[in-house]
Amino acid sequence: MDYKKYISEKIKLDGVTQEEVYATIALPPNSEMGDYALPCFKFAKILRKSPISIAEELKNAYQTDGVVSEVSAVNGYLNFKVNKSGLAEGVIGRILKEGDRYGSSDTGVGKTICIDYSSVNIAKPFHIGHLSTTVIGGALYKIYKFLGYNVVGINHLGDYGTQFGKLISAYKRWGVREEVEKGGIHAINDLYVRFNNEADEAMQEEARENFRLIENGDKEANALFDWFKSLTLNYVKSIYDKLNITFDSYAGERFYTDKMQPVIDELREKNLLKESEGAQIVDLEPYGMPPCLILRSDGASLYATRDLAAALYRKKTYDFYKCLYVVAYQQNLHFKQIFKVLELMGKDWAKDLVHVAYGMVSLEDGAMSTRKGKVVWLEDVISKCIEKAYAVIDEKNPELENKKQTAETVGLGAVIFSALYNNKIKDIVFSYDKVLSFEGETSVYVQYTCARANSVLLKSGNLTFDYGNYAPNAQESEVVKELAAFPDALLNAAEKYEPSYVARYAVNLAQKYNKFYIDCKILTAEGDAKAFRLALTKATLQTLKNALSVLGIGVPEKM
Ligand code: ARG
């Protein structure tokens, strides 16, 4: 049973919807006060009453029953105590029944969400700076799917621009086919870096000419371009596989080559295009922004032009409910401009475009720069994290079978979780020791809790989970309430585009379970208490697995 729903349905407030009441009910920080609480502060303005008197009036009107046994009003909060065995039975029963679907819902049915994420640049390094967009986008993808949405994952490839002209020049000068084939993206990157270091004006001109050749459909230039593209994609796909990341479309910037002219025509028709120093722009001064550049004075299109074409294409193709762009906050202005231009074009759906911005990741030694050649490849961070995870596991549990596979699950989880645990807009400093700590707020801690729960269940043998009318104690009730909060964590994450809600939820649940594990004996308990504790253990394991799974993180059986 949904206790929040049950409680909210009995609360009537003029001018406040039932949904809003429902959404406002939360778990109080101090469970002595109650199991659920309704903070009345935000209703004060609408009702023109103090939160204290609102809570007081609601308390007087509320009829307690077998489900909600006690209601109190304290400092503007309305607190509820619920029948613990009923709560436990409802939640645990539901989790054991729904299994890996627990937390899923049909809120999104009939709605399509496009997520533009990872969006790598062809022939450029896939570096630590791409971690966040990849795993935040990947987590949102899975969360929305779990909530019933139709999700379209789009990798808006950076495959357009003069750098490909440079690359062709560099390859023709210094490249050896077999070496590039073997070295893949690293070899391509070396060529590119060398070109940037050595090119004089004549070589730059040659590179521009090579780019024009690609544009004009020259066979040889396009064959080289396609080759560079496939080498890059094979490489990034091997990393996506490890991180559990998938895409439904790889339509990148080049895909929009023939879709920009209609946008330019429409802008002109709507009198939005202006000439400025030979270039074509949309003036955004009235909105406090610099102009959005549409065509350079030499007629070339820009990043923004392709993004406008892409937005129109996505609307037409997917008829999205929302289209998210998981891109670093450095591009805040770019997206504000694009969204504004679409709004000025009269696209009422411009309001459904969302820039999901996130902060920067750097390493402890300060490294991350993409200055010529000095790049921290994501691949290297992943390998190193797996290696270190192996060392940690080997030290803790040298007898463990499958150490290699476990280290892989743990190491990958740690890399993913590091970019999902904090509020996404924060800059983060990646530390191997921190992300691999068994004690911190880490995926390792959550995975370890799962292994612990799993071992309890294995040792217990035959499980019946028949615990009669067992009344849970305080620690047990804490776990039960946290278990019941999982669906909300997912809904909140989806609403705020913030997978960190789910990551934090997993750590909270693990902490509460561990407190219970330390305070209450499980295997040596008897009768209903033992059956209940085993059921609680099983429900916790399932919920932690579900939470990690939507983040793209696996759970080893043993650790
Ligand atoms: N490739 C771009 C970059 O690395 C990100 C593209 C984001 N998506 C978009 N539709 N602009 O900066």
Side-chain angles (χ1 to χ4, degrees):
M1 135 173 224
D2 184 344
Y3 279 73
K4 278 180 60 174
K5 188 140 187 263
Y6 187 88
I7 295 169
S8 68
E9 275 166 2
K10 291 176 53 174
I11 293 176
K12 303 272 177 278
L13 280 171
D14 281 344
V16 182
T17 63
Q18 278 333 99
E19 286 79 37
E20 203 169 331
V21 174
Y22 176 87
T24 311
I25 295 175
L27 296 184
N30 175 357
S31 56
E32 309 261 291
M33 304 296 283
D35 299 308
Y36 291 94
L38 178 73
C40 298
F41 307 94
K42 69 173 192 193
F43 309 131
K45 221 173 158 183
I46 313 170
L47 300 172
R48 295 169 194 229
K49 279 183 203 158
S50 75
I52 294 181
S53 55
I54 297 173
E56 198 60 43
E57 282 169 29
L58 286 175
K59 185 203 100 176
N60 293 335
Y62 199 97
Q63 297 281 336
T64 54
D65 54 25
V67 178
V68 177
S69 52
E70 220 183 295
V71 181
S72 60
V74 182
N75 297 333
Y77 285 88
L78 190 62
N79 298 317
F80 305 88
K81 285 204 170 151
V82 305
N83 175 337
K84 301 289 192 306
S85 43
L87 174 62
E89 198 181 304
V91 175
I92 294 175
R94 179 170 165 203
I95 297 170
L96 297 185
K97 192 170 117 227
E98 295 181 7
D100 59 10
R101 299 297 303 159
Y102 175 57
S104 67
S105 83
D106 53 11
T107 30
V109 171
K111 295 184 189 131
T112 295
I113 295 203
C114 292
I115 312 183
D116 175 328
Y117 69 110
S118 199
S119 299
V120 288
N121 299 320
I122 297 300
K124 292 231 184 112
F126 192 45
H127 57 79
I128 182 80
H130 295 114
L131 174 64
S132 300
T133 173
T134 306
V135 302
I136 293 172
L140 290 173
Y141 186 94
K142 295 184 188 66
I143 291 169
Y144 286 116
K145 275 227 150 141
F146 207 45
L147 298 177
Y149 290 89
N150 174 38
V151 192
V152 185
I154 303 171
N155 202 320
H156 185 76
L157 299 176
D159 54 3
Y160 193 104
T162 46
Q163 75 262 31
F164 296 103
K166 294 183 186 175
L167 201 54
I168 289 178
S169 293
Y171 176 70
K172 285 193 167 168
R173 259 202 178 70
W174 308 302
V176 180
R177 190 157 190 106
E178 296 72 45
E179 275 173 22
V180 173
E181 197 69 67
K182 217 170 110 220
I185 181 135
H186 295 279
I188 299 178
N189 186 51
D190 290 346
L191 285 172
Y192 184 67
V193 170
R194 179 164 176 194
F195 186 90
N196 278 336
N197 285 333
E198 296 184 17
D200 55 17
E201 192 34 50
M203 282 164 74
Q204 296 288 4
E205 182 44 44
E206 177 194 301
R208 281 191 285 272
E209 177 52 29
N210 277 327
F211 176 60
R212 271 190 290 275
L213 287 175
I214 304 180
E215 289 292 276
N216 296 337
D218 176 81
K219 253 200 166 149
E220 191 204 359
N222 274 285
L224 281 172
F225 170 82
D226 288 341
W227 182 44
F228 297 143
K229 182 164 168 174
S230 76
L231 287 174
T232 312
L233 283 184
N234 286 343
Y235 172 80
V236 291
K237 280 180 184 170
S238 72
I239 297 178
Y240 290 151
D241 281 347
K242 289 189 183 157
L243 297 173
N244 279 313
I245 298 293
T246 52
F247 293 94
D248 304 287
S249 160
Y250 278 88
E253 294 188 45
R254 260 187 94 68
F255 178 76
Y256 298 100
T257 307
D258 61 353
K259 298 173 183 63
M260 288 185 276
Q261 194 54 47
V263 183
I264 296 162
D265 294 343
E266 189 175 337
L267 284 168
R268 190 165 286 129
E269 252 163 53
K270 294 186 170 157
N271 270 327
L272 291 165
L273 222 47
K274 269 195 190 162
E275 190 172 319
S276 164
E277 295 164 33
Q280 298 292 321
I281 62 155
V282 176
D283 179 18
L284 296 176
E285 212 189 326
Y287 312 99
M289 286 182 251
C292 183
L293 209 51
I294 303 294
L295 289 176
R296 283 205 313 242
S297 53
D298 64 1
S301 64
L302 291 111
Y303 181 51
T305 326
R306 293 184 284 282
D307 254 329
L308 290 171
L312 289 158
Y313 175 82
R314 289 173 192 174
K315 185 64 192 173
K316 192 175 93 206
T317 310
Y318 305 112
D319 191 23
F320 55 72
Y321 157 73
K322 273 184 185 156
C323 177
L324 315 185
Y325 297 83
V326 186
V327 184
Y329 64 58
Q330 279 86 349
Q331 295 192 29
N332 277 356
L333 177 62
H334 168 74
F335 286 105
K336 266 174 77 180
Q337 290 179 312
I338 297 299
F339 299 169
K340 193 51 154 185
V341 171
L342 288 163
E343 186 193 316
L344 294 173
M345 289 170 83
K347 311 295 175 195
D348 57 352
W349 46 265
K351 63 176 189 337
D352 305 325
L353 305 171
V354 185
H355 176 205
V356 178
Y358 59 83
M360 281 195 322
V361 184
S362 56
L363 296 190
E364 279 178 306
D365 61 7
M368 83 144 291
S369 82
T370 49
R371 263 180 301 127
K372 298 185 180 166
K374 191 180 169 290
V375 183
V376 182
W377 293 74
L378 182 53
E379 172 196 16
D380 295 337
V381 174
I382 291 175
S383 314
K384 194 162 163 190
C385 210
I386 294 175
E387 232 169 75
K388 290 197 175 237
Y390 187 91
V392 177
I393 290 166
D394 193 37
E395 198 197 314
K396 284 218 173 232
N397 190 355
E399 305 300 317
L400 186 74
E401 316 132 36
N402 293 332
K403 263 190 283 190
K404 255 191 111 165
Q405 210 186 330
T406 308
E408 177 127 356
T409 310
V410 170
L412 282 166
V415 175
I416 297 173
F417 204 78
S418 72
L420 295 181
Y421 189 67
N422 290 299
N423 196 306
K424 62 188 181 305
I425 201 69
K426 277 196 187 157
D427 289 338
I428 48 180
V429 179
F430 183 93
S431 145
Y432 290 100
D433 291 337
K434 275 205 195 114
V435 303
L436 286 171
S437 157
F438 273 66
E439 270 100 54
E441 294 167 351
T442 60
S443 52
V444 188
Y445 173 73
V446 179
Q447 287 168 326
Y448 185 68
T449 309
C450 290
R452 170 176 266 181
N454 199 36
S455 128
V456 170
L457 293 168
L458 284 175
K459 282 191 199 134
S460 73
N462 202 3
L463 301 172
T464 59
F465 300 136
D466 181 3
Y467 45 84
N469 264 334
Y470 180 77
N473 67 25
Q475 289 95 325
E476 290 161 347
S477 290
E478 284 303 295
V479 180
V480 168
K481 274 187 280 169
E482 200 63 43
L483 287 172
F486 181 49
D488 272 355
L490 289 165
L491 292 172
N492 287 337
E495 193 188 311
K496 305 264 163 53
Y497 320 110
E498 190 62 272
S500 66
Y501 286 164
V502 179
R504 282 179 187 272
Y505 170 82
V507 168
N508 282 342
L509 176 58
Q511 285 171 343
K512 292 198 168 151
Y513 178 80
N514 283 319
K515 186 159 177 1
F516 149 78
Y517 178 90
I518 289 161
D519 290 352
C520 310
K521 31 183 198 176
I522 304 176
L523 291 168
T524 55
E526 277 171 22
D528 286 354
K530 180 171 178 180
F532 178 82
R533 288 172 188 176
L534 287 170
L536 191 64
T537 298
K538 174 125 182 157
T540 302
L541 174 59
Q542 182 69 63
T543 307
L544 289 177
K545 273 189 181 169
N546 293 6
L548 289 184
S549 158
V550 294
L551 303 179
I553 299 174
V555 172
E557 299 264 298
K558 292 184 184 162
M559 264 171 87

